[in-house]
Amino acid sequence: MTETSKETGRIEAFSDGVFAIAITLLVLDIKVPRDAPDGSRLLHALLFQWPAYLAFVISFATIGIMWINHHRLFTLIRRVDHLLLIFNGLLLLGVTFVPFPTALIAEYAQQRGGSVAAMVYTGTFAVLAVFFNVLWRYASYKNRLLHPSVRPAAVKAITRAYSFGPPLYFLSVGLALVSAPMGLAMNAALALYFALPSRPVGTGTEFDSSSTAHST
């Protein structure tokens, strides 16, 4: 394994740990109902927590999808520099923040502050989408940090796909201002969109077959 492979491997390993911790903390917002002496009251209390369940599923799905895409990008990124570490750190900063707006929307979705909570929630993912784009665009600009045999068409396709993220997530912030459920629904739809499968990285489709593969 080359030194550059070790560096990207260390970034992935650290990032994987952050993603894992953040996604695990989400479940803490689902509380065990108290003072429910019989089955009907317990069922009502459980159903009353639907915002917590919804926020958990959306946040879990979004973080999980981001982790998958982060892994995909680092199969193409070969070199590391100081700014890449900073941009990756900003992305992880956003990821670790996700449990807070998840708890916020779970607590206030059915109250008067529901729209504000939904705006904070959707806004968090909008900022994450910006960080994700900055990370990829910095690494891919003139292929500065990518494997030299990555196909230009693959770079353009990834850039084009990710460019939809920020404006759509900011649209969800605007929808949350009008209606908290609409903002959450938009976030859920975006999670489904980015979960759609694409061509697998590492099968040769993203690399120029005339060039050598990764060194080991």
Side-chain angles (χ1 to χ4, degrees):
M1 181 180 291
T2 63
E3 288 300 317
T4 53
S5 296
K6 290 180 180 178
E7 286 299 310
T8 55
R10 290 181 64 188
I11 291 178
E12 279 201 88
F14 179 76
S15 301
D16 286 351
V18 173
F19 277 109
I21 292 171
I23 210 168
T24 302
L25 290 175
L26 296 175
V27 76
L28 298 180
D29 298 316
I30 300 178
K31 308 297 184 182
V32 175
R34 306 295 180 185
D35 301 322
D38 55 63
S40 61
R41 292 187 182 181
L42 177 58
L43 179 60
H44 179 270
L46 288 171
L47 294 176
F48 188 76
Q49 290 191 116
W50 69 264
Y53 308 143
L54 180 61
F56 170 77
V57 171
I58 296 174
S59 297
F60 188 98
T62 304
I63 292 178
I65 293 162
M66 289 183 62
W67 170 74
I68 292 171
N69 283 288
H70 186 272
H71 169 71
R72 288 173 57 82
L73 293 190
F74 273 88
T75 63
L76 303 178
I77 296 173
R78 185 183 187 186
R79 296 179 298 280
V80 177
D81 66 8
H82 184 70
L83 274 178
L84 184 74
L85 293 173
I86 291 176
F87 293 143
N88 191 69
L90 288 173
L91 176 64
L92 297 181
L93 172 67
V95 170
T96 58
F97 184 73
V98 170
F100 170 72
T102 302
L104 194 67
I105 195 68
E107 180 71 24
Y108 287 96
Q110 301 185 86
Q111 301 183 32
R112 290 185 177 181
S115 291
V116 174
M119 287 179 65
V120 174
Y121 183 79
T122 54
T124 298
F125 291 114
V127 173
L128 275 168
V130 171
F131 287 161
F132 215 104
N133 273 267
V134 170
L135 173 68
W136 168 246
R137 288 176 183 271
Y138 176 76
S140 64
Y141 181 70
K142 295 184 177 180
N143 278 33
R144 76 170 99 208
L145 299 178
L146 303 185
H147 191 284
S149 53
V150 174
R151 291 180 182 274
V155 175
K156 290 181 180 179
I158 294 172
T159 301
R160 184 170 57 252
Y162 288 166
S163 65
F164 290 108
L168 290 176
Y169 274 109
F170 278 110
L171 175 60
S172 71
V173 177
L175 289 175
L177 177 62
V178 177
S179 167
M182 288 176 60
L184 293 177
M186 182 69 176
N187 253 58
L190 287 171
L192 290 174
Y193 168 75
F194 285 108
L196 294 176
S198 57
R199 290 184 309 171
V201 174
T203 60
T205 55
E206 283 78 10
F207 296 93
D208 187 343
S209 58
S210 65
S211 303
T212 57
H214 285 281
S215 300
T216 55

